[in-house]
Amino acid sequence: LRWFCMRTSLTGIKIDQIDRIPGTANDRRTPLGELNWIFTAITDTIAWNVFPHHLFQKLFRQDLLVASLMRNFLLAERIMRVHGCTPVSHPRLPPTYQHPLWRAWDLAADLCISQLPKIVKNPKLFRPNPFFSDQLTAFEIWLEFASQKGKQPPEQLPIVLQVLLSKQHRIKALQLLARFLDLGSWAVNYALSV
């Protein structure tokens, strides 16, 4: 977030304010927790869309510590590439630093940071981020128009499964997931691969 804050044209936000985002990383109802949840959803989705599925499963689903390290590696790759550095991993991983979902992360961070002056004074003024609603809408549009064009899954599938953890979005996510699974066994296999 410090890197993002240095790159953005937000006015009135000092880098030291980033450390004062209210909440805890594991409470999704707080600004910091929501941002952490969005970061997890975005990095997992980027990896699911870019990495071979066996590698995604190994790096993001078998061990929580490895998954956390990999999420941070993806972010480090993005930051370091801007500065002309190329991070190295073993095994070598496909590049993810230009994935379009990073723009969604930038928007989510921007929306959170722009609220900082208000929510530091009064956390109850926090407005939840529309990221998950927007992704559910994108998934719904894919179901409406693109699902008939072949057996390629929508890139938002991991996010839809992540949204099942939210009471606010659970019913819509379940309805959309049911429509996706009704497309056939190929859809079920993709859902299980997440």
Side-chain angles (χ1 to χ4, degrees), residues 32-83:
L32 185 60
E34 182 184 61
L35 209 50
N36 185 58
W37 187 31
I38 292 169
F39 175 73
T40 299
I42 287 174
T43 51
D44 283 14
T45 301
I46 289 171
W48 185 77
N49 280 287
V50 174
F51 294 178
H53 287 280
H54 73 280
L55 189 57
F56 171 78
Q57 287 293 325
K58 182 178 182 179
L59 298 176
F60 284 82
R61 294 298 182 253
Q62 287 184 359
D63 184 278
L64 292 176
L65 179 59
V66 172
S68 180
L69 287 169
M70 291 310 304
R71 289 182 194 106
N72 287 299
F73 179 84
L74 297 185
L75 180 61
E77 178 192 27
R78 182 174 188 229
I79 293 170
M80 292 174 74
R81 292 282 187 147
V82 168
H83 297 288

Short mmCIF file of all heavy atoms in Angstrom, two decimals, residues 32-83:
data_model
loop_
_atom_site.label_atom_id
_atom_site.label_comp_id
_atom_site.label_asym_id
_atom_site.label_seq_id
_atom_site.Cartn_x
_atom_site.Cartn_y
_atom_site.Cartn_z
N LEU A 32 -9.12 -2.67 6.84
CA LEU A 32 -7.89 -3.44 6.60
C LEU A 32 -8.21 -4.89 6.24
O LEU A 32 -7.62 -5.45 5.32
CB LEU A 32 -6.98 -3.38 7.83
CG LEU A 32 -5.62 -4.05 7.68
CD1 LEU A 32 -4.81 -3.39 6.55
CD2 LEU A 32 -4.85 -3.99 8.99
N GLY A 33 -9.17 -5.47 6.94
CA GLY A 33 -9.55 -6.85 6.64
C GLY A 33 -10.17 -7.01 5.26
O GLY A 33 -9.89 -7.97 4.55
N GLU A 34 -11.01 -6.04 4.89
CA GLU A 34 -11.61 -6.10 3.56
C GLU A 34 -10.55 -5.98 2.48
O GLU A 34 -10.56 -6.72 1.49
CB GLU A 34 -12.65 -4.99 3.40
CG GLU A 34 -13.34 -5.05 2.04
CD GLU A 34 -14.29 -3.90 1.83
OE1 GLU A 34 -13.84 -2.73 1.85
OE2 GLU A 34 -15.49 -4.18 1.62
N LEU A 35 -9.60 -5.08 2.67
CA LEU A 35 -8.53 -4.90 1.70
C LEU A 35 -7.68 -6.17 1.59
O LEU A 35 -7.30 -6.59 0.50
CB LEU A 35 -7.67 -3.71 2.10
CG LEU A 35 -6.97 -2.94 1.02
CD1 LEU A 35 -7.90 -2.57 -0.11
CD2 LEU A 35 -6.31 -1.71 1.60
N ASN A 36 -7.40 -6.80 2.72
CA ASN A 36 -6.65 -8.06 2.73
C ASN A 36 -7.43 -9.16 2.00
O ASN A 36 -6.84 -9.94 1.24
CB ASN A 36 -6.34 -8.48 4.17
CG ASN A 36 -5.48 -9.71 4.21
OD1 ASN A 36 -4.38 -9.74 3.67
ND2 ASN A 36 -5.97 -10.75 4.87
N TRP A 37 -8.72 -9.21 2.19
CA TRP A 37 -9.57 -10.21 1.53
C TRP A 37 -9.57 -9.98 0.02
O TRP A 37 -9.48 -10.93 -0.77
CB TRP A 37 -10.98 -10.12 2.11
CG TRP A 37 -11.93 -11.19 1.67
CD1 TRP A 37 -11.64 -12.47 1.32
CD2 TRP A 37 -13.34 -11.05 1.55
NE1 TRP A 37 -12.80 -13.14 0.99
CE2 TRP A 37 -13.85 -12.29 1.13
CE3 TRP A 37 -14.22 -10.00 1.77
CZ2 TRP A 37 -15.20 -12.51 0.92
CZ3 TRP A 37 -15.58 -10.23 1.56
CH2 TRP A 37 -16.05 -11.46 1.14
N ILE A 38 -9.67 -8.72 -0.40
CA ILE A 38 -9.64 -8.40 -1.83
C ILE A 38 -8.28 -8.79 -2.42
O ILE A 38 -8.21 -9.37 -3.50
CB ILE A 38 -9.95 -6.91 -2.06
CG1 ILE A 38 -11.41 -6.62 -1.71
CG2 ILE A 38 -9.65 -6.49 -3.50
CD1 ILE A 38 -11.77 -5.14 -1.65
N PHE A 39 -7.20 -8.48 -1.69
CA PHE A 39 -5.86 -8.83 -2.16
C PHE A 39 -5.73 -10.35 -2.35
O PHE A 39 -5.22 -10.83 -3.36
CB PHE A 39 -4.80 -8.33 -1.17
CG PHE A 39 -3.40 -8.76 -1.51
CD1 PHE A 39 -2.72 -8.19 -2.57
CD2 PHE A 39 -2.76 -9.75 -0.76
CE1 PHE A 39 -1.43 -8.59 -2.89
CE2 PHE A 39 -1.48 -10.14 -1.07
CZ PHE A 39 -0.81 -9.57 -2.14
N THR A 40 -6.21 -11.11 -1.38
CA THR A 40 -6.17 -12.57 -1.48
C THR A 40 -6.97 -13.06 -2.68
O THR A 40 -6.49 -13.90 -3.45
CB THR A 40 -6.72 -13.20 -0.18
OG1 THR A 40 -5.89 -12.79 0.91
CG2 THR A 40 -6.75 -14.71 -0.25
N ALA A 41 -8.17 -12.53 -2.86
CA ALA A 41 -9.01 -12.95 -3.98
C ALA A 41 -8.35 -12.61 -5.32
O ALA A 41 -8.34 -13.44 -6.24
CB ALA A 41 -10.38 -12.28 -3.88
N ILE A 42 -7.78 -11.42 -5.42
CA ILE A 42 -7.16 -11.01 -6.68
C ILE A 42 -5.92 -11.84 -6.99
O ILE A 42 -5.76 -12.34 -8.11
CB ILE A 42 -6.84 -9.50 -6.66
CG1 ILE A 42 -8.15 -8.71 -6.80
CG2 ILE A 42 -5.86 -9.12 -7.78
CD1 ILE A 42 -7.99 -7.21 -6.66
N THR A 43 -5.04 -12.01 -6.02
CA THR A 43 -3.81 -12.76 -6.30
C THR A 43 -4.10 -14.23 -6.57
O THR A 43 -3.49 -14.83 -7.46
CB THR A 43 -2.78 -12.60 -5.16
OG1 THR A 43 -3.41 -12.89 -3.90
CG2 THR A 43 -2.20 -11.19 -5.13
N ASP A 44 -5.04 -14.82 -5.85
CA ASP A 44 -5.42 -16.20 -6.13
C ASP A 44 -6.01 -16.33 -7.52
O ASP A 44 -5.73 -17.28 -8.25
CB ASP A 44 -6.43 -16.71 -5.10
CG ASP A 44 -5.79 -17.07 -3.76
OD1 ASP A 44 -4.63 -16.70 -3.52
OD2 ASP A 44 -6.47 -17.73 -2.95
N THR A 45 -6.82 -15.37 -7.91
CA THR A 45 -7.46 -15.41 -9.23
C THR A 45 -6.44 -15.22 -10.34
O THR A 45 -6.49 -15.91 -11.37
CB THR A 45 -8.58 -14.35 -9.31
OG1 THR A 45 -9.53 -14.62 -8.27
CG2 THR A 45 -9.27 -14.38 -10.65
N ILE A 46 -5.51 -14.30 -10.14
CA ILE A 46 -4.45 -14.12 -11.14
C ILE A 46 -3.68 -15.42 -11.31
O ILE A 46 -3.45 -15.89 -12.43
CB ILE A 46 -3.51 -12.96 -10.74
CG1 ILE A 46 -4.22 -11.61 -10.90
CG2 ILE A 46 -2.23 -12.99 -11.58
CD1 ILE A 46 -3.45 -10.42 -10.33
N ALA A 47 -3.28 -16.01 -10.20
CA ALA A 47 -2.51 -17.27 -10.26
C ALA A 47 -3.33 -18.37 -10.92
O ALA A 47 -2.81 -19.14 -11.75
CB ALA A 47 -2.07 -17.68 -8.86
N TRP A 48 -4.60 -18.49 -10.59
CA TRP A 48 -5.45 -19.53 -11.16
C TRP A 48 -5.58 -19.37 -12.67
O TRP A 48 -5.63 -20.34 -13.41
CB TRP A 48 -6.84 -19.50 -10.50
CG TRP A 48 -7.73 -20.61 -10.94
CD1 TRP A 48 -7.69 -21.92 -10.55
CD2 TRP A 48 -8.81 -20.52 -11.88
NE1 TRP A 48 -8.68 -22.64 -11.19
CE2 TRP A 48 -9.37 -21.80 -12.00
CE3 TRP A 48 -9.35 -19.47 -12.62
CZ2 TRP A 48 -10.46 -22.06 -12.82
CZ3 TRP A 48 -10.44 -19.73 -13.45
CH2 TRP A 48 -10.98 -21.01 -13.54
N ASN A 49 -5.63 -18.12 -13.12
CA ASN A 49 -5.77 -17.84 -14.55
C ASN A 49 -4.47 -17.99 -15.32
O ASN A 49 -4.49 -18.25 -16.53
CB ASN A 49 -6.32 -16.42 -14.77
CG ASN A 49 -7.82 -16.37 -14.59
OD1 ASN A 49 -8.56 -16.84 -15.42
ND2 ASN A 49 -8.26 -15.81 -13.47
N VAL A 50 -3.32 -17.82 -14.67
CA VAL A 50 -2.04 -17.79 -15.37
C VAL A 50 -1.24 -19.08 -15.20
O VAL A 50 -0.64 -19.57 -16.15
CB VAL A 50 -1.20 -16.57 -14.90
CG1 VAL A 50 0.20 -16.60 -15.49
CG2 VAL A 50 -1.91 -15.27 -15.25
N PHE A 51 -1.22 -19.64 -14.02
CA PHE A 51 -0.40 -20.82 -13.74
C PHE A 51 -1.08 -22.09 -14.26
O PHE A 51 -2.31 -22.17 -14.28
CB PHE A 51 -0.16 -20.99 -12.24
CG PHE A 51 0.67 -19.92 -11.60
CD1 PHE A 51 0.91 -19.97 -10.24
CD2 PHE A 51 1.23 -18.88 -12.31
CE1 PHE A 51 1.68 -19.00 -9.61
CE2 PHE A 51 2.00 -17.90 -11.71
CZ PHE A 51 2.23 -17.96 -10.35
N PRO A 52 -0.29 -23.11 -14.61
CA PRO A 52 -0.89 -24.42 -14.88
C PRO A 52 -1.64 -24.88 -13.61
O PRO A 52 -1.21 -24.58 -12.49
CB PRO A 52 0.32 -25.32 -15.15
CG PRO A 52 1.43 -24.39 -15.50
CD PRO A 52 1.16 -23.11 -14.78
N HIS A 53 -2.75 -25.57 -13.79
CA HIS A 53 -3.60 -25.90 -12.65
C HIS A 53 -2.90 -26.74 -11.58
O HIS A 53 -3.13 -26.54 -10.39
CB HIS A 53 -4.91 -26.55 -13.12
CG HIS A 53 -5.82 -25.55 -13.76
ND1 HIS A 53 -6.60 -24.69 -13.04
CD2 HIS A 53 -6.02 -25.23 -15.06
CE1 HIS A 53 -7.27 -23.90 -13.85
NE2 HIS A 53 -6.93 -24.21 -15.10
N HIS A 54 -2.03 -27.66 -11.99
CA HIS A 54 -1.32 -28.46 -10.98
C HIS A 54 -0.39 -27.58 -10.14
O HIS A 54 -0.26 -27.78 -8.94
CB HIS A 54 -0.54 -29.60 -11.65
CG HIS A 54 0.68 -29.15 -12.38
ND1 HIS A 54 0.64 -28.59 -13.65
CD2 HIS A 54 1.98 -29.14 -12.00
CE1 HIS A 54 1.87 -28.26 -14.02
NE2 HIS A 54 2.71 -28.59 -13.05
N LEU A 55 0.22 -26.59 -10.76
CA LEU A 55 1.12 -25.68 -10.04
C LEU A 55 0.32 -24.75 -9.13
O LEU A 55 0.71 -24.49 -7.99
CB LEU A 55 1.96 -24.88 -11.03
CG LEU A 55 3.10 -24.05 -10.44
CD1 LEU A 55 4.07 -24.93 -9.65
CD2 LEU A 55 3.83 -23.32 -11.58
N PHE A 56 -0.83 -24.28 -9.60
CA PHE A 56 -1.70 -23.45 -8.77
C PHE A 56 -2.10 -24.22 -7.51
O PHE A 56 -2.03 -23.70 -6.40
CB PHE A 56 -2.95 -23.01 -9.54
CG PHE A 56 -3.96 -22.34 -8.65
CD1 PHE A 56 -3.79 -21.02 -8.26
CD2 PHE A 56 -5.07 -23.05 -8.21
CE1 PHE A 56 -4.73 -20.41 -7.42
CE2 PHE A 56 -6.00 -22.44 -7.37
CZ PHE A 56 -5.84 -21.13 -6.98
N GLN A 57 -2.54 -25.46 -7.69
CA GLN A 57 -2.95 -26.27 -6.54
C GLN A 57 -1.80 -26.44 -5.55
O GLN A 57 -1.99 -26.32 -4.34
CB GLN A 57 -3.45 -27.65 -7.01
CG GLN A 57 -4.79 -27.62 -7.69
CD GLN A 57 -5.91 -27.24 -6.75
OE1 GLN A 57 -5.91 -27.59 -5.58
NE2 GLN A 57 -6.88 -26.50 -7.26
N LYS A 58 -0.62 -26.72 -6.07
CA LYS A 58 0.54 -26.96 -5.21
C LYS A 58 0.93 -25.70 -4.44
O LYS A 58 1.22 -25.77 -3.24
CB LYS A 58 1.71 -27.44 -6.06
CG LYS A 58 2.96 -27.75 -5.28
CD LYS A 58 4.05 -28.28 -6.20
CE LYS A 58 5.29 -28.63 -5.42
NZ LYS A 58 6.33 -29.16 -6.31
N LEU A 59 0.92 -24.54 -5.10
CA LEU A 59 1.42 -23.31 -4.48
C LEU A 59 0.38 -22.53 -3.71
O LEU A 59 0.72 -21.77 -2.80
CB LEU A 59 2.05 -22.42 -5.55
CG LEU A 59 3.24 -22.99 -6.29
CD1 LEU A 59 3.70 -22.04 -7.38
CD2 LEU A 59 4.38 -23.31 -5.33
N PHE A 60 -0.90 -22.71 -4.04
CA PHE A 60 -1.93 -21.87 -3.43
C PHE A 60 -2.95 -22.64 -2.60
O PHE A 60 -3.76 -22.02 -1.92
CB PHE A 60 -2.65 -21.05 -4.50
CG PHE A 60 -1.85 -19.88 -4.99
CD1 PHE A 60 -0.87 -20.06 -5.95
CD2 PHE A 60 -2.04 -18.62 -4.47
CE1 PHE A 60 -0.11 -18.99 -6.40
CE2 PHE A 60 -1.29 -17.54 -4.90
CZ PHE A 60 -0.32 -17.73 -5.87
N ARG A 61 -2.94 -23.96 -2.65
CA ARG A 61 -3.97 -24.70 -1.94
C ARG A 61 -3.46 -25.76 -0.97
O ARG A 61 -4.20 -26.23 -0.13
CB ARG A 61 -4.94 -25.36 -2.93
CG ARG A 61 -5.76 -24.36 -3.74
CD ARG A 61 -6.64 -23.54 -2.83
NE ARG A 61 -7.48 -22.61 -3.56
CZ ARG A 61 -7.30 -21.29 -3.59
NH1 ARG A 61 -6.28 -20.74 -2.97
NH2 ARG A 61 -8.13 -20.51 -4.25
N GLN A 62 -2.20 -26.16 -1.07
CA GLN A 62 -1.72 -27.24 -0.21
C GLN A 62 -1.22 -26.76 1.15
O GLN A 62 -1.28 -27.51 2.12
CB GLN A 62 -0.62 -28.03 -0.92
CG GLN A 62 -1.15 -28.89 -2.03
CD GLN A 62 -0.08 -29.76 -2.66
OE1 GLN A 62 1.08 -29.71 -2.29
NE2 GLN A 62 -0.48 -30.54 -3.65
N ASP A 63 -0.72 -25.53 1.22
CA ASP A 63 -0.12 -25.05 2.46
C ASP A 63 -0.42 -23.56 2.60
O ASP A 63 -0.13 -22.79 1.68
CB ASP A 63 1.39 -25.32 2.43
CG ASP A 63 2.06 -24.94 3.72
OD1 ASP A 63 2.36 -23.75 3.91
OD2 ASP A 63 2.30 -25.85 4.55
N LEU A 64 -0.97 -23.15 3.74
CA LEU A 64 -1.35 -21.75 3.94
C LEU A 64 -0.15 -20.81 3.92
O LEU A 64 -0.23 -19.70 3.39
CB LEU A 64 -2.11 -21.59 5.25
CG LEU A 64 -3.49 -22.23 5.31
CD1 LEU A 64 -4.09 -22.09 6.70
CD2 LEU A 64 -4.41 -21.61 4.27
N LEU A 65 0.97 -21.25 4.49
CA LEU A 65 2.16 -20.41 4.52
C LEU A 65 2.72 -20.21 3.10
O LEU A 65 3.06 -19.10 2.71
CB LEU A 65 3.23 -21.00 5.43
CG LEU A 65 4.54 -20.22 5.53
CD1 LEU A 65 4.29 -18.81 6.04
CD2 LEU A 65 5.52 -20.95 6.43
N VAL A 66 2.79 -21.29 2.34
CA VAL A 66 3.28 -21.18 0.96
C VAL A 66 2.34 -20.28 0.14
O VAL A 66 2.79 -19.44 -0.64
CB VAL A 66 3.41 -22.59 0.31
CG1 VAL A 66 3.72 -22.48 -1.18
CG2 VAL A 66 4.49 -23.39 1.02
N ALA A 67 1.03 -20.43 0.33
CA ALA A 67 0.07 -19.60 -0.39
C ALA A 67 0.29 -18.12 -0.07
O ALA A 67 0.29 -17.27 -0.96
CB ALA A 67 -1.36 -20.02 -0.05
N SER A 68 0.50 -17.81 1.20
CA SER A 68 0.76 -16.42 1.59
C SER A 68 2.05 -15.90 0.97
O SER A 68 2.09 -14.77 0.46
CB SER A 68 0.83 -16.33 3.12
OG SER A 68 1.08 -15.01 3.51
N LEU A 69 3.08 -16.72 0.97
CA LEU A 69 4.34 -16.33 0.34
C LEU A 69 4.15 -16.08 -1.16
O LEU A 69 4.70 -15.13 -1.72
CB LEU A 69 5.41 -17.40 0.55
CG LEU A 69 5.99 -17.52 1.95
CD1 LEU A 69 6.83 -18.79 2.07
CD2 LEU A 69 6.82 -16.30 2.28
N MET A 70 3.37 -16.92 -1.80
CA MET A 70 3.16 -16.78 -3.24
C MET A 70 2.36 -15.53 -3.58
O MET A 70 2.64 -14.84 -4.56
CB MET A 70 2.47 -18.02 -3.82
CG MET A 70 3.34 -19.27 -3.81
SD MET A 70 4.99 -19.01 -4.53
CE MET A 70 4.58 -18.41 -6.15
N ARG A 71 1.36 -15.22 -2.76
CA ARG A 71 0.60 -13.99 -2.98
C ARG A 71 1.53 -12.78 -2.92
O ARG A 71 1.46 -11.87 -3.75
CB ARG A 71 -0.52 -13.85 -1.95
CG ARG A 71 -1.63 -14.82 -2.15
CD ARG A 71 -2.76 -14.61 -1.13
NE ARG A 71 -3.62 -15.77 -1.18
CZ ARG A 71 -3.65 -16.72 -0.24
NH1 ARG A 71 -2.92 -16.62 0.84
NH2 ARG A 71 -4.46 -17.75 -0.40
N ASN A 72 2.39 -12.79 -1.92
CA ASN A 72 3.34 -11.68 -1.77
C ASN A 72 4.39 -11.68 -2.88
O ASN A 72 4.87 -10.62 -3.28
CB ASN A 72 3.96 -11.70 -0.38
CG ASN A 72 2.96 -11.27 0.66
OD1 ASN A 72 2.47 -10.16 0.62
ND2 ASN A 72 2.64 -12.16 1.58
N PHE A 73 4.74 -12.86 -3.39
CA PHE A 73 5.67 -12.93 -4.52
C PHE A 73 5.05 -12.26 -5.75
O PHE A 73 5.73 -11.53 -6.48
CB PHE A 73 6.05 -14.38 -4.84
CG PHE A 73 6.99 -14.49 -6.01
CD1 PHE A 73 8.36 -14.34 -5.83
CD2 PHE A 73 6.50 -14.74 -7.28
CE1 PHE A 73 9.23 -14.42 -6.91
CE2 PHE A 73 7.37 -14.83 -8.37
CZ PHE A 73 8.73 -14.66 -8.19
N LEU A 74 3.76 -12.52 -5.98
CA LEU A 74 3.09 -11.90 -7.13
C LEU A 74 3.10 -10.38 -7.00
O LEU A 74 3.36 -9.66 -7.97
CB LEU A 74 1.66 -12.40 -7.26
CG LEU A 74 1.46 -13.89 -7.54
CD1 LEU A 74 -0.03 -14.19 -7.76
CD2 LEU A 74 2.28 -14.36 -8.70
N LEU A 75 2.85 -9.89 -5.80
CA LEU A 75 2.89 -8.44 -5.58
C LEU A 75 4.31 -7.91 -5.74
O LEU A 75 4.52 -6.86 -6.37
CB LEU A 75 2.35 -8.09 -4.19
CG LEU A 75 2.34 -6.60 -3.84
CD1 LEU A 75 1.47 -5.81 -4.80
CD2 LEU A 75 1.88 -6.42 -2.40
N ALA A 76 5.29 -8.63 -5.21
CA ALA A 76 6.69 -8.21 -5.34
C ALA A 76 7.10 -8.16 -6.81
O ALA A 76 7.81 -7.24 -7.24
CB ALA A 76 7.60 -9.16 -4.57
N GLU A 77 6.64 -9.15 -7.59
CA GLU A 77 6.95 -9.13 -9.01
C GLU A 77 6.41 -7.86 -9.66
O GLU A 77 7.10 -7.19 -10.43
CB GLU A 77 6.37 -10.37 -9.71
CG GLU A 77 6.65 -10.35 -11.20
CD GLU A 77 5.87 -11.38 -11.99
OE1 GLU A 77 4.77 -11.78 -11.56
OE2 GLU A 77 6.36 -11.76 -13.06
N ARG A 78 5.19 -7.51 -9.32
CA ARG A 78 4.59 -6.31 -9.89
C ARG A 78 5.39 -5.06 -9.51
O ARG A 78 5.69 -4.21 -10.36
CB ARG A 78 3.15 -6.17 -9.41
CG ARG A 78 2.47 -4.97 -10.01
CD ARG A 78 1.02 -4.93 -9.65
NE ARG A 78 0.39 -3.86 -10.40
CZ ARG A 78 -0.40 -2.95 -9.84
NH1 ARG A 78 -0.64 -2.99 -8.55
NH2 ARG A 78 -0.94 -2.02 -10.59
N ILE A 79 5.71 -4.93 -8.25
CA ILE A 79 6.44 -3.74 -7.78
C ILE A 79 7.86 -3.71 -8.34
O ILE A 79 8.32 -2.68 -8.84
CB ILE A 79 6.47 -3.71 -6.23
CG1 ILE A 79 5.04 -3.49 -5.70
CG2 ILE A 79 7.42 -2.64 -5.73
CD1 ILE A 79 4.90 -3.66 -4.21
N MET A 80 8.55 -4.83 -8.31
CA MET A 80 9.94 -4.86 -8.75
C MET A 80 10.07 -4.62 -10.25
O MET A 80 11.02 -3.98 -10.70
CB MET A 80 10.58 -6.19 -8.34
CG MET A 80 10.75 -6.31 -6.83
SD MET A 80 11.36 -7.92 -6.33
CE MET A 80 13.07 -7.78 -6.83
N ARG A 81 9.11 -5.10 -11.04
CA ARG A 81 9.18 -4.89 -12.49
C ARG A 81 9.10 -3.41 -12.84
O ARG A 81 9.73 -2.96 -13.80
CB ARG A 81 8.04 -5.64 -13.20
CG ARG A 81 8.14 -7.13 -13.15
CD ARG A 81 9.14 -7.65 -14.15
NE ARG A 81 9.09 -9.10 -14.16
CZ ARG A 81 9.30 -9.83 -15.23
NH1 ARG A 81 9.58 -9.27 -16.37
NH2 ARG A 81 9.25 -11.13 -15.15
N VAL A 82 8.33 -2.65 -12.06
CA VAL A 82 8.23 -1.22 -12.29
C VAL A 82 9.60 -0.55 -12.11
O VAL A 82 9.93 0.42 -12.78
CB VAL A 82 7.19 -0.59 -11.33
CG1 VAL A 82 7.26 0.93 -11.34
CG2 VAL A 82 5.79 -1.05 -11.71
N HIS A 83 10.42 -1.13 -11.24
CA HIS A 83 11.75 -0.58 -10.95
C HIS A 83 12.86 -1.27 -11.74
O HIS A 83 14.03 -1.13 -11.42
CB HIS A 83 12.02 -0.66 -9.45
CG HIS A 83 11.06 0.16 -8.65
ND1 HIS A 83 11.08 1.53 -8.63
CD2 HIS A 83 10.01 -0.21 -7.89
CE1 HIS A 83 10.11 1.99 -7.87
NE2 HIS A 83 9.43 0.95 -7.41
#
